[in-house]
Amino acid sequence: AQSVTQLGSHVSVSEGALVLLRCNYSSSVPPYLFWYVQYPNQGLQLLLKYTSAATLVKGINGFEAEFKKSETSFHLTKPSAHMSDAAEYFCAVSEWTDKLIFGTGTRLQVFP
Amino acid sequence: DGGITQSPKYLFRKEGQNVTLSCEQNLNHDAMYWYRQDPGQGLRLIYYSQIVNDFQKGDIAEGYSVSREKKESFPLTVTSAQKNPTAFYLCASSIGPSTEQFFGPGTRLTVL
């Protein structure tokens, strides 16, 4: 079965600093991969998705992620953090059957 | 505007009572999902449905029931058999299995 691991349940950065949220997956076939963001007491919003086209995927709010097959990784980055980026972020992988598998989430804090 | 609606936003119930959470989508999606979210545990899949009049148990189906009589509606009933029902419940839909899911705003259920 496919799985996804998010390293670090909490990440703290200063405003203007690089954001790096880590996601590793296990899959025996090329997966589809997703990053979602969740603000407090709200649903999840899709940030970006990888569907076997370009390995560098650009999403909303200045985020991007790079698919690295050799490392089975799909890390999320943003060059300069903004206070409004403070939220919880979820990585997900498709199981090629009937559902997505979500990671346990990483809470991003941004300090002024 | 197309989207997913969940009602109510906040719900309070007494212990031992069944309660039904509403989920409606006008995206013409075939697949719909229910997740439970608890602090620090990410998303856990309760039930999902890929087509009308059919649904499957997810990872934590005990104490819950669903129906899928219409394509746009996927209500979740939290029964008195659910031992710890207080949680944030999220509904999602997708065009098909393994594609990106679109989430509703969630319902926070508190059992007193």
Side-chain angles (χ1 to χ4, degrees), chain B:
Chain B
D1 284 339
I4 302 175
T5 57
Q6 291 186 245
S7 61
K9 180 69 173 175
Y10 298 95
L11 189 56
F12 298 89
R13 280 295 182 268
K14 291 183 178 179
E15 194 171 342
Q17 289 182 333
N18 291 356
V19 60
T20 297
L21 281 59
S22 168
C23 178
E24 303 276 334
Q25 56 99 357
N26 60 4
L27 299 168
N28 200 31
H29 286 173
D30 285 317
M32 298 187 74
Y33 311 81
W34 274 106
Y35 294 92
R36 171 180 172 141
Q37 190 174 27
D38 296 281
Q41 295 198 40
L43 278 72
R44 292 187 290 170
L45 183 63
I46 305 173
Y47 269 98
Y48 61 102
S49 167
Q50 295 185 46
I51 197 168
V52 175
N53 292 322
D54 188 43
F55 48 83
Q56 288 77 41
K57 293 182 179 179
D59 302 316
I60 57 164
E62 185 174 351
Y64 300 97
S65 66
V66 294
S67 63
R68 187 86 188 275
E69 297 176 0
K70 298 186 296 182
K71 186 175 185 177
E72 58 271 23
S73 178
F74 192 41
L76 173 74
T77 296
V78 185
T79 75
S80 56
Q82 170 49 234
K83 302 241 182 290
N84 185 19
T86 294
F88 190 52
Y89 290 88
L90 287 162
C91 180
S93 71
S94 64
I95 293 174
S98 299
T99 60
E100 65 263 36
Q101 295 179 10
F102 296 83
F103 284 80
T107 291
R108 186 166 295 282
L109 173 64
T110 302
V111 176
L112 307 171

Side-chain angles (χ1 to χ4, degrees), chain A residues 1-2 25-31:
Chain A
Q2 294 182 332
Y25 67 92
S26 67
S27 173
S28 58
V29 298

